[in-house]
Amino acid sequence: MTLPQMLAVRRVLAAIAVAASISGGMAAAAAIEPPPGMESVGTRSEASDRADLPIGPGATDRLALDGEVAIAAWRSASGSATPPSPAAMLSDYRQALATAGWDTVFACVDADCGGVERRFGLTLLPAPTMLVDTADMALLTLSHDAEGEGGEASAASHLSLVASRVLGKLYLQATLVKPPGAADPPLRAAEAGEDEVAPTPLPPSAAEEVAGPATNADTLAEQLIGEGHLALDGLEFESGTASIAASSTAAIARAAAVLEAAPDLLVAVVGHSDNDGALEGNIALSRRRAEAVRDALVASGVAANRLEAHGIGWLAPIASNGSPEGRARNRRVELVLR
C-alpha cells in the first residue's frame, strides 16, 4: 500500500486517532469520526480500482469512477449506547464536510434511496462486514474539486457514505475515490474564522416517524414479491422464548403495512434459528415465534386466512454460524410467499 493510499484510508477510517507521515514530514490526523460506540470492521484500499457511487435512486444512477479507492466500514459495538439513526448521522457528516468544501451530489433516506434495486447497485464490503436494510438507511455522495501535481486542475475526488440499521446495530461505510496524482482532499471542518457553507440537512428518517411503516411499505412489498421472501428486520424476542420484545412494535407495524400494500398476497410466517442446540428444539421454538408474529399481525388488522406459521430451525441459514454476527442474522422471522 502506498503512502497516499494509507493517508486516504486513515482519513476516512477515523475510528482510531492516527498521524500518518507523508512527504515533507507533514502529519494528517483523523478528521471524520464515527459516532461513539462504533468499531472498525473492515477496510480495502487499491492504488488503481473502480467504484460505483450512487447519484440517484435507480440502479443505473451511479458514477463509475476509476482512481485510488479507499473503503472503510464500522459497526456499532455490542453493549454500546443506542446509535443515532442513519439519517441523523449522515446529516452530521453532510454539515461537517460542507464546511470543508465538499458539494452534495446525492442524498436520500429510506425508500427514497431506491429500495432493493439501488442497494444492489452499491459498491459495498461483503456481508457480514457491511449490512444494509433498505427500509432503514441513508446515502450521501459528495464531490470535492481536486488539484493535480503542480497545482493544475484535475478531476474531482468523490466520497460516498452509506449508513443502515440492521438488527438493532448501525452500519456505516465510507468510500473515497481520488483521481491518480490528485492532492488528498480535506476531510475536516473549516477552522474558526474561515467562511463556512450553509449545509442542507438530510430529510428526517421515515423509519423514525409515525408514518414510517406505511412510507416504506411499497418498497418492501416489491422486495417480497421480487425475491419471494422478506426478513422482518428489527424483530426481537425475549431470550429463549416466543415472547415478542416491546422494541419490536415498529417491525410488526412495518410488516403489517407491507401486507396491507399488497392485499392479494398469501404468505407463510417462517421462523429460523441459529445452530445452537438440537434441531427438534430449535424447530419448535422457531415455530412458536412464527406463530407469535402471525398473531401480532392478525391483531394489527391482517386477515388471518392470509397467514400460515411454520418453523424450520437452523435448516436455512443465510450466514455462517461461526460468528456472533452470523448467528444473529440466522435468528430471524421471514414472510415467504405461498
Side-chain angles (χ1 to χ4, degrees):
M1 183 186 300
T2 65
L3 286 176
Q5 284 177 266
M6 186 175 295
L7 180 60
V9 171
R10 289 182 175 180
R11 278 185 167 174
V12 177
L13 180 58
I16 58 175
V18 298
S21 176
I22 59 175
S23 60
M26 298 175 63
I32 301 177
E33 296 185 0
M38 297 194 74
E39 59 186 2
S40 171
V41 291
T43 62
R44 179 167 68 85
S45 179
E46 299 292 341
S48 179
D49 201 357
R50 169 168 290 192
D52 292 331
L53 305 187
I55 56 173
T60 59
D61 296 332
R62 62 181 185 267
L63 284 176
L65 299 171
D66 294 309
E68 296 180 20
V69 177
I71 303 177
W74 303 267
R75 180 183 61 227
S76 55
S78 299
S80 61
T82 302
S85 71
M89 183 172 63
L90 293 200
S91 285
D92 290 341
Y93 280 129
R94 187 174 184 176
Q95 294 178 38
L97 290 164
T99 66
W102 289 82
D103 297 317
T104 297
V105 176
F106 176 61
C108 65
V109 170
D110 298 335
D112 291 338
C113 294
V116 176
E117 181 180 336
R118 166 73 282 165
R119 180 257 178 273
F120 287 104
L122 299 174
T123 298
L124 297 174
L125 293 177
T129 299
M130 183 63 192
L131 301 180
V132 173
D133 175 3
T134 57
D136 194 358
M137 69 178 297
L139 299 177
L140 176 61
T141 300
L142 311 101
S143 66
H144 190 281
D145 291 336
E147 291 184 354
E149 295 181 358
E152 297 88 357
S154 181
S157 293
H158 287 79
L159 176 66
S160 180
L161 298 170
V162 181
S164 184
R165 194 162 35 192
V166 181
L167 296 173
K169 288 194 173 184
L170 185 65
Y171 289 78
L172 170 65
Q173 178 179 299
T175 301
L176 177 65
V177 184
K178 190 185 73 169
D184 293 307
L187 290 172
R188 58 170 58 85
E191 298 295 335
E194 294 182 357
D195 292 335
E196 294 192 357
V197 179
T200 302
L202 288 168
S205 172
E208 296 200 341
E209 297 176 355
V210 174
T215 302
N216 299 312
D218 290 339
T219 297
L220 294 176
E222 290 174 4
Q223 180 179 345
L224 174 58
I225 294 170
E227 299 184 8
H229 62 99
L230 176 69
L232 302 185
D233 293 330
L235 184 65
E236 298 180 345
F237 296 85
E238 302 297 337
S239 180
T241 76
S243 298
I244 300 175
S247 59
S248 301
T249 301
I252 294 295
R254 187 159 57 236
V258 169
L259 295 174
E260 181 180 351
D264 295 330
L265 294 184
L266 303 179
V267 303
V269 182
V270 180
H272 301 262
S273 72
D274 60 24
N275 66 350
D276 184 14
L279 177 60
E280 292 79 5
N282 275 291
I283 288 177
L285 178 58
S286 60
R287 182 190 305 115
R288 292 198 303 274
R289 288 182 168 179
E291 291 169 348
V293 173
R294 178 199 59 195
D295 294 344
L297 291 173
V298 171
S300 298
V302 180
N305 59 5
R306 298 177 60 192
L307 304 172
E308 293 181 357
H310 302 276
I312 58 175
W314 40 255
L315 293 177
I318 57 173
S320 169
N321 281 300
S323 68
E325 294 78 15
R327 291 193 294 274
R329 292 185 64 204
N330 289 333
R331 295 190 299 269
R332 68 197 188 279
V333 174
E334 294 182 321
L335 301 181
V336 178
L337 292 184
R338 289 199 272 152

